[in-house]
Amino acid sequence: MRKRNERRSSIETAFEHLRSTVATALGAAENEFDRVCAAYAQQEYSQRIAAAGLARAERDPSIVGGEPGPVFDGAMHEARTEREQIFTGWTGHGPDQLAALVAEAAPGIAGRPWQEWLGEPGTAEASSRPPQLWRVGTGHVPGSPDPRPFPVAVPLLDEAHLRITSSKQTGDAREALVQNLVLRVLSHYKPGLVRVHVWDVAQLTGTLPGLYPLTNAGLLTAHDPTRLGEMLEELSDHIRRIHTSALNGGHISLRALAEETGQRDEPWRIAVLFGDGEPLREEQQQQLQRVARNGLACGVQLIVADLPMTVNSSVESVNLHTEEARTSMTGPEAVVRLDAAPSREAVTKTCSAIATEFIARRSRVRTFEDLVPESLWAQRSASGLQAPAGFREGEPVKVTLGDASPHTLIGGPSGSGKTNFLYAMLGGMAARYSPDELELYLLDFKEGVSFAQFTPGRRDPTWLPHAQLVGVNVNEDREFGLALLRFLSTEMRRRADAAKAHEVTKLEELRAENPEGRWPRVVAVIDEFQYLFAERDTVSAQATSLLEDVARRGRSQGIHLVLASQDVSGIEAFWGKPAIFEQFILRIALPKARRVLADQNDAALELPRWHAVINHESGVKHGNDVARVPDSTAKGTFDELQRRLWEMRPENAAPPRLFDGSLLPALSTLPDFTRLSPDAAPAKALLGQVIDVNGTAAVVRMDRSPGRNIAVIGSVRVDAVSVLGAAALSLARQHRAHQVRFTLLGLVEEVAPDVAELAEALAELGHEVHVHHGVDQAVKVVPELAAKVDDRAASESADGLPEYVLCYGVDAAHSAMEKKDPSTFTSGLDQLRKLLKQGPEQRLHVLGWWRSAQRLKTTLMGPVDEIGAWVAFDVHGQELSSFAAGQLVHWSPRARRGLFFDRSVHAQPEVVLPFDLTGAPAAARRNADQEGAG
C-alpha cells in the first residue's frame, strides 16, 4: 500500500512539474506575443509619426491614431531621440552660422531690415562687386530642437534669376516680395545704376505702384500687357549691344570685365514679369529663354512670377503658400516668413528721392575731366581697348577697339566736331592705358595743326607719351599717308611672324605666351583720309591695297585704324571694294554726317551740336548710342591731361616724330646726320629726307663704282643749293681733317653767297676747299680735274684723296665748254664727260646742278649711266623717264618737294624734302671738335 502511494505521489509530482513547465511555456509565449504586438504597434506609430511629422504628432496625437500609453509614448520617445541625432549639427549652431553667412554675403542694405535704410538713395558704385545674396525674410525649421529664426536671402544680380510661384490667396505677398527686393537693389546702388522693367499680363498700371515715381527719371518702364514681345526684344537688343561693345574684348561677362578693369559703366536691368500661371506663346517663350540664358552675363536680371519658364541658366525659386513660403535656397523643411512690406507712402518717398537725385546727376553737364579715370594707366590692352568718349543721361558711352570692332570710321562735315571727338576718344584711352599698352600714330591731311598738340612746342614742352608719329599740314604729301600704311603693314607682318613662332594667332595669345615682349595695341588715326585717295595714280592704288590688307588682317595683331572724313562716298579708289569699309565695324556719326551709318539709319541728321552717334554694329540702326561729347580742346582739358601723363612718362621716353608739311626738316637735328662719323666706308651723301614714318634721309653711297655721281635737276636755286650743301656737309662729317678735298664751281652768279658760305663751313672743319666762280674758271678747272683722273688711273702712287666736285649751274658753261682745243681736238664738255665716266672709280665724284633735264642730256650726249643718282624738282615726270631706267614716271612738280632716284637701289623714284641747312655747319664743327678731342 505504501509503495502504491509513493508511485502515485511520484506520478502526481511529475504531472505537476509538467503542468508547471507547460504553464511557464505558455506564459512566456503570451509575454512574447504581447511584446511583439507592442513592438509592432510602436513601429506602426513610428511610421505614422515619420509620415505626419513629429511636430504635428506632438501637437495632435490623433493625427497618427495615438492614445496615451507606453506604446505610443515609446514611439514618440524614439522619434524624439532620432530627431535629436539628426539635428546634432544644427542645434545650438545652425541658426547662428546661417545668420553669419547671410551677413557676409548680404552686407549693408542687401541684408539689413528695411527699417534701417529705407528713404535714402544708395551710394555703391557699379564697379563694386554686387552682394551675393539679398534678404527676403526669416526662416525656421518647425521640427528642429532649436527653433530660433535665421535670415533668408536669395542670389540676384549677376548670380541667378528668380522664379516666384503663388496662389490667388498670396497675390499680395508676391507683389510685396518683388517690391522689397527691387527696393533693396535700388537703394544699394547710386541712382541710375539699376533700371527696372515691369510687365503684368493682367494690367498696365497698378502693379508695384510705390515704384512709379521712378518713371519720371526713366528708371522704371511699365510695358503694355499686349507687348511682351517688344519688351523681350528690347532686352535682347541690349544684350547684343553689350556683347558687341563692352564684351568684345573677350570677357565672358560684365562682372569679369569689372573685376579686371575696375570699371563697369553699364547699369543693371531688372525685368519683372507677372504672369497668371498660363504658358506664353511659343515665340515669346523662346525670347524669354534667350534673355534668361544670356542676360546674367550682360547685367539683365529676371524676376518671373507665375510664369512657366524652363531655361538652361541659374534660377532660384520662391514658392508662396497660404501661410508659409518655401525657397530653393532653404529647402522644403524650412518655413520662411517674408519680410513685411513698408507702407506705400514710405516706398513712394524713397523712389522719389532716388529719381530726384538721378535727374540732378544726369542734368549735370559732364566735362572732359569725367572722361579721365581716378587711376591713370591702370588697364591692360591685351584683349582690346575701351574708353568713354561721351555721356548719355550722365552715364559714359564707350568706344571699343578689339577683335569684334577692330577699326573705326568717323564722319561729319566741317565744324561738326571731329577734332573734339578725336581728342575725347584719344584722351580717354591715353588716360587708361600706358605707352606699353597703347601706341598712337596720328596723321591730319587737312591744313591744320590739330595733332600738333601731342608734340613738344615752344610754349608747351610736353608731349603725349603714347604718340610715336604725328603728321600735320600734310596737305599734298599723300606719300606720307602711304608710308604710314606701309609701316603698319610691316609691323603687322612682324607680329604675325612672332605669333607663328609661338604657335598662336592673336595678339592676346602672343602676349600670354611672350610676357617679356613689348606688344602694345597700335591705333593709327588719319583725319581727312580721303585726300590720300584723291588722285587716280600709283599712290592711290598702293594705298588702297595696303589699307585693305591692314583692315582685314590687322585686328588679330592689335593694329587698329581710325579713319575720319567729311564724306567717303566720292573716293573712287573704293568703288567696287565694299569689303574695305565692312571691316570698320565701329561707326561714329557726327551732326549732319552722311553715308557713315547704314543706309536706313539717319540718326545723325538730327543730332544737336556736341553730340555723336556711337555705333558698334557697322552702322545698323539698333546699334545707335547717342552721346554728348564734352569739350576736349579747351584750355585745361586735354592739355592738362597730357601734362599729367608727360610727368608720368618712362625715363627713356622720346618725343614723337613730327612731320610738318609746312616746314623743311633740319639737317642739323636729323639722326642720320648726327650719327655720321669719320672713316665710314664708303661715305654717304645725304640729299634730303624721304617721306616715311622714321624720317629717313635720302642717301647715296659714294663708293668707287661707275656712275657714282649725283645730279640735281630743276630751275629753283634754293632747292639745288640745299641738296648740294647737305651732300657736302654730310660727306665732310665722314672724313677727318685734311683727308678729303672739295672743289666748288659756282657757274651762275646767284649762287655766289651760297658757295662762299659752304666753303667757309667746310674749311672750318679742316678740309681742303677750292672755290672757283664763273664760266671761265670752269673751262680751266674741268680739264685739270680730267687730267687728274688720268694721272690716278696711270699711277697708284698719285694723290688718292677722295675729292668731291660741286658744280652749280653746269649748263651755264655749255657754250664756253663746247669749244674744242685745237691741239687735242677735245672740248670742255668732253673733259666733263670723262670726269663723270671715269672719275668715281678714282675717288673723284661730281655733284652737279643742271637747270633742266634736257640740258643734263645735252651734257651727257648719250647714255645717262654716268648719273647714278638724281633729285629733280620743278620737272615733270615724262621728262625723267630716261633717267629712271626707261620707266614711266608719274610726277607733277610741287613746291619744296623733289623726286629722288638711285639706280643702284630704287625700283622707282621716291619723293624727298630738301633740308633746311640752318645750324648744320655748326653741328658739323661740334662733331669735328669731339672727334679731335677723342
Side-chain angles (χ1 to χ4, degrees):
M1 187 66 180
R2 186 172 58 83
K3 290 182 176 180
R4 187 171 56 196
N5 290 337
E6 291 177 353
R7 228 177 5 258
R8 184 175 179 176
S9 177
S10 177
I11 293 171
E12 289 176 350
T13 301
F15 271 107
E16 183 63 29
H17 179 70
L18 176 61
R19 283 194 301 271
S20 176
T21 301
V22 170
T24 301
L26 290 175
E30 184 177 355
N31 290 339
E32 181 64 20
F33 177 76
D34 292 340
R35 189 190 66 76
V36 170
C37 289
Y40 176 77
Q42 183 170 325
Q43 185 177 13
E44 182 70 18
Y45 277 130
S46 296
Q47 291 177 349
R48 293 177 185 177
I49 293 170
L54 179 59
R56 294 184 64 192
E58 287 178 327
R59 290 194 301 268
D60 185 5
S62 63
I63 292 176
V64 296
E67 296 180 358
V71 176
F72 177 71
D73 292 343
M76 292 293 289
H77 176 74
E78 182 180 339
R80 291 188 181 99
T81 301
E82 184 178 354
R83 181 180 65 180
E84 291 177 359
Q85 293 175 350
I86 291 174
F87 280 95
T88 299
W90 171 264
T91 304
H93 303 287
D96 294 337
Q97 290 176 344
L98 275 182
L101 185 150
V102 172
E104 180 181 357
I109 291 175
R112 288 158 45 205
W114 58 262
Q115 292 87 348
E116 300 179 13
W117 51 260
L118 188 66
E120 295 295 330
T123 58
E125 299 284 355
S127 57
S128 62
R129 187 180 180 89
Q132 294 176 281
L133 297 175
W134 302 81
R135 177 187 169 100
V136 295
T138 57
H140 70 282
V141 181
S144 167
D146 189 350
R148 287 181 299 161
F150 52 86
V152 177
V154 296
L156 283 181
L157 304 183
D158 300 342
E159 296 283 354
H161 301 299
L162 182 63
R163 177 170 48 205
I164 302 171
T165 57
S166 67
S167 63
K168 292 182 179 180
Q169 292 78 13
T170 57
D172 291 342
R174 177 187 74 168
E175 190 167 322
L177 170 61
V178 172
Q179 176 184 272
N180 288 355
L181 278 173
V182 172
L183 267 180
R184 282 189 185 277
V185 178
L186 287 168
S187 300
H188 178 77
Y189 286 105
K190 284 185 175 180
L193 297 183
V194 178
R195 311 295 172 88
V196 182
H197 296 260
V198 178
W199 175 84
D200 192 334
V201 69
Q203 51 187 341
L204 173 60
T205 59
T207 307
L208 305 177
L211 303 182
Y212 267 68
L214 298 172
T215 59
N216 297 329
L219 298 177
L220 183 143
T221 304
H223 294 266
D224 192 301
T226 63
R227 296 184 176 180
L228 175 61
E230 294 181 7
M231 171 185 169
L232 295 176
E233 187 60 32
E234 180 181 339
L235 294 174
S236 297
D237 287 344
H238 172 74
I239 291 171
R240 281 195 294 269
R241 184 177 65 81
I242 295 299
H243 277 290
T244 58
S245 58
L247 300 183
N248 71 356
H251 298 91
I252 62 174
S253 67
L254 290 176
R255 170 186 280 188
L257 175 65
E259 289 175 349
E260 178 177 330
T261 65
Q263 299 291 323
R264 180 166 183 159
D265 299 313
E266 287 293 337
W268 282 274
R269 281 166 169 76
I270 300 178
V272 180
L273 285 73
F274 288 107
D276 56 5
E278 296 296 323
L280 299 173
R281 298 197 307 270
E282 182 177 353
E283 179 184 354
Q284 293 177 338
Q285 181 66 30
Q286 291 177 354
Q287 285 181 300
L288 180 60
Q289 290 175 352
R290 285 195 296 269
V291 172
R293 186 168 54 250
N294 303 306
L296 291 175
C298 300
V300 176
Q301 168 76 53
L302 292 178
I303 299 179
V304 179
D306 297 322
L307 203 61
M309 180 178 68
T310 303
V311 295
N312 184 21
S313 182
S314 179
V315 179
E316 298 295 339
S317 63
V318 176
N319 299 319
L320 301 178
H321 304 285
T322 304
E323 297 180 355
E324 55 193 27
R326 297 286 197 277
T327 74
S328 57
M329 293 292 291
T330 54
E333 300 301 329
V335 174
V336 179
R337 182 179 295 277
L338 299 178
D339 288 336
S343 66
R344 178 173 175 179
E345 180 183 358
V347 174
T348 300
K349 182 179 179 181
T350 298
C351 291
S352 296
I354 293 173
T356 300
E357 181 167 327
F358 175 66
I359 291 173
R361 187 159 62 91
R362 182 178 62 183
S363 61
R364 181 177 72 85
V365 176
R366 295 286 183 148
T367 65
F368 179 82
E369 185 178 353
D370 295 307
L371 296 175
V372 180
E374 294 182 3
S375 300
L376 300 176
W377 293 356
Q379 298 186 26
R380 299 182 68 253
S381 65
S383 57
L385 300 165
Q386 188 176 74
F391 299 90
R392 181 189 67 253
E393 296 182 348
E395 300 300 324
V397 178
K398 293 187 173 183
V399 294
T400 303
L401 292 174
D403 289 348
S405 53
H407 310 299
T408 305
L409 186 62
I410 302 175
S414 178
S416 61
K418 285 199 310 298
T419 299
N420 186 68
F421 180 86
L422 287 171
Y423 269 54
M425 180 182 73
L426 296 175
M429 289 185 175
R432 284 164 174 76
Y433 302 97
S434 71
D436 286 333
E437 301 288 335
L438 169 65
E439 286 186 352
L440 297 175
Y441 295 79
L442 308 159
L443 177 58
D444 188 355
F445 268 102
K446 66 178 182 291
E447 295 183 6
V449 291
S450 301
F451 293 154
Q453 162 70 44
F454 307 140
T455 64
R458 290 190 299 272
R459 289 185 298 178
D460 182 4
T462 70
W463 70 84
L464 188 63
H466 307 73
Q468 305 297 307
L469 173 71
V470 176
V472 297
N473 288 318
V474 177
N475 302 333
E476 297 181 354
D477 290 316
R478 296 161 55 236
E479 294 83 4
F480 190 69
L482 179 62
L484 175 57
L485 292 176
R486 191 175 287 123
F487 166 80
L488 295 176
S489 180
T490 301
E491 176 64 13
M492 182 177 64
R493 287 194 299 271
R494 184 182 76 87
R495 295 183 174 207
D497 291 341
K500 184 178 180 181
H502 287 84
E503 299 182 346
V504 296
T505 59
K506 297 165 54 179
L507 179 69
E508 183 176 8
E509 298 168 346
L510 175 60
R511 290 181 56 156
E513 291 294 324
N514 182 24
E516 301 301 322
R518 186 177 183 277
W519 306 106
R521 296 263 169 183
V522 172
V523 175
V525 182
I526 306 179
D527 194 9
E528 301 300 346
F529 77 99
Q530 73 275 8
Y531 286 105
L532 178 56
F533 307 94
E535 304 291 339
R536 300 182 64 181
D537 56 11
T538 55
V539 173
S540 289
Q542 293 178 30
T544 302
S545 177
L546 287 168
L547 179 64
E548 187 173 12
D549 186 38
V550 173
R552 188 179 68 256
R553 298 195 295 140
R555 69 169 70 200
S556 60
Q557 306 306 330
I559 296 176
H560 308 284
L561 297 171
V562 178
L563 304 185
S565 174
Q566 295 186 30
D567 186 4
V568 301
S569 62
I571 303 177
E572 294 185 30
F574 295 157
W575 290 357
K577 293 188 176 183
I580 293 181
F581 284 142
E582 288 176 359
Q583 303 295 330
F584 288 76
I585 307 298
L586 176 56
R587 306 291 179 91
I588 310 297
L590 297 161
K592 305 300 184 292
R594 297 179 182 273
R595 300 180 180 88
V596 177
L597 304 176
D599 290 341
Q600 303 302 318
N601 189 354
D602 56 0
L605 299 182
E606 298 180 358
L607 277 181
R609 192 169 179 241
W610 300 104
H611 286 72
V613 177
I614 299 176
N615 188 302
H616 286 83
E617 298 196 32
S618 301
V620 178
K621 192 170 185 179
H622 70 255
N624 288 349
D625 218 344
V626 178
R628 187 187 187 281
V629 183
D631 187 351
S632 306
T633 58
K635 186 176 180 59
T637 56
F638 192 100
D639 58 338
E640 175 60 22
L641 172 64
Q642 178 171 297
R643 183 193 62 76
R644 293 172 60 191
L645 300 180
W646 180 73
E647 292 175 350
M648 295 171 59
R649 72 192 187 279
E651 293 184 2
N652 59 347
R657 188 218 159 190
L658 173 64
F659 177 89
D660 188 342
S662 65
L663 302 175
L664 294 179
L667 178 64
S668 61
T669 59
L670 188 76
D672 284 348
F673 179 72
T674 57
R675 284 195 297 262
L676 295 175
S677 60
D679 303 325
K684 298 176 291 186
L686 277 56
L687 308 185
Q689 186 180 80
V690 177
I691 298 182
D692 66 1
V693 169
N694 298 317
T696 309
V699 174
V700 176
R701 294 167 62 90
M702 306 301 286
D703 50 19
R704 302 180 67 170
S705 301
R708 289 293 85 191
N709 303 300
I710 300 172
V712 182
I713 310 171
S715 62
V716 182
R717 177 195 62 82
V718 65
D719 293 331
V721 167
S722 171
V723 173
L724 294 179
L729 291 171
S730 59
L731 290 169
R733 282 181 67 100
Q734 300 168 74
H735 295 281
R736 298 187 183 278
H738 311 296
Q739 297 299 312
V740 66
R741 182 183 296 115
F742 289 92
T743 298
L744 309 184
L745 299 177
L747 305 182
V748 289
E749 185 176 352
E750 61 263 29
V751 301
D754 304 300
V755 171
E757 183 178 357
L758 178 60
E760 181 181 358
L762 295 174
E764 289 182 357
L765 293 173
H767 300 308
E768 181 181 346
V769 184
H770 300 275
V771 180
H772 306 277
H773 289 284
V775 172
D776 294 341
Q777 290 293 316
V779 172
K780 176 183 178 182
V781 170
V782 169
E784 294 175 354
L785 293 172
K788 186 180 294 186
V789 170
D790 291 335
D791 292 342
R792 292 189 180 187
S795 174
E796 290 293 334
S797 61
D799 182 6
L801 287 179
E803 185 167 350
Y804 303 103
V805 181
L806 279 71
C807 301
Y808 292 81
V810 179
D811 53 285
H814 274 182
S815 297
M817 297 179 69
E818 284 178 341
K819 298 178 181 179
K820 294 183 180 292
D821 185 327
S823 60
T824 61
F825 301 101
T826 58
S827 66
L829 284 178
D830 293 332
Q831 301 292 345
L832 178 59
R833 291 172 190 136
K834 174 189 282 190
L835 186 61
L836 290 169
K837 184 175 182 179
Q838 300 176 16
E841 293 181 81
Q842 303 304 325
R843 305 185 71 185
L844 199 153
H845 307 270
V846 174
L847 292 78
W849 168 35
W850 283 262
R851 290 175 293 181
S852 76
Q854 184 57 46
R855 294 188 179 194
L856 174 57
K857 293 178 182 178
T858 301
T859 299
L860 298 175
M861 206 60 176
V864 298
D865 295 350
E866 281 74 24
I867 300 298
W870 50 266
V871 180
F873 288 94
D874 57 338
V875 181
H876 286 275
Q878 60 266 30
E879 300 180 61
L880 300 169
S881 294
S882 58
F883 298 103
Q887 62 181 300
L888 186 62
V889 178
H890 298 279
W891 171 251
S892 295
R894 304 203 303 260
R896 306 313 310 269
R897 299 295 184 266
L899 203 62
F900 168 53
F901 183 76
D902 184 341
R903 65 174 59 249
S904 68
V905 176
H906 294 146
Q908 58 188 15
E910 58 185 8
V911 180
V912 296
L913 284 71
F915 288 119
D916 178 358
L917 301 185
T918 304
R925 285 194 298 272
R926 286 194 299 272
N927 182 73
D929 293 342
Q930 292 171 358
E931 291 294 334

